[in-house]
Amino acid sequence: MAKKSVASLQTGSKRLTKAIKMVKSEKTGAYTFVESIMAPDKVNEWLSKK
């Protein structure tokens, strides 16, 4: 399960997006959130990875 944030960040001439993914732990079954800041064209690829 994944969720994409709507915030976009601009630093200088680069445009960046902050993506948040909900990941389920194998051991405990609890969910944790993993955040990453990347270029907008890489977001869908990152969210589809397990």
Side-chain angles (χ1 to χ4, degrees), residues 22-38:
M22 201 163 78
V23 179
K24 188 173 185 177
S25 172
E26 295 289 328
K27 287 184 176 181
T28 64
Y31 286 96
T32 59
F33 293 98
V34 178
E35 298 181 14
S36 183
I37 298 175
M38 65 195 79

Side-chain angles (χ1 to χ4, degrees), residues 6-27:
V6 292
S8 63
L9 309 168
Q10 289 187 347
T11 58
S13 63
K14 287 188 176 182
R15 183 178 168 152
L16 301 173
T17 302
K18 180 178 181 182
I20 302 170
K21 181 169 39 173
M22 201 163 78
V23 179
K24 188 173 185 177
S25 172
E26 295 289 328
K27 287 184 176 181

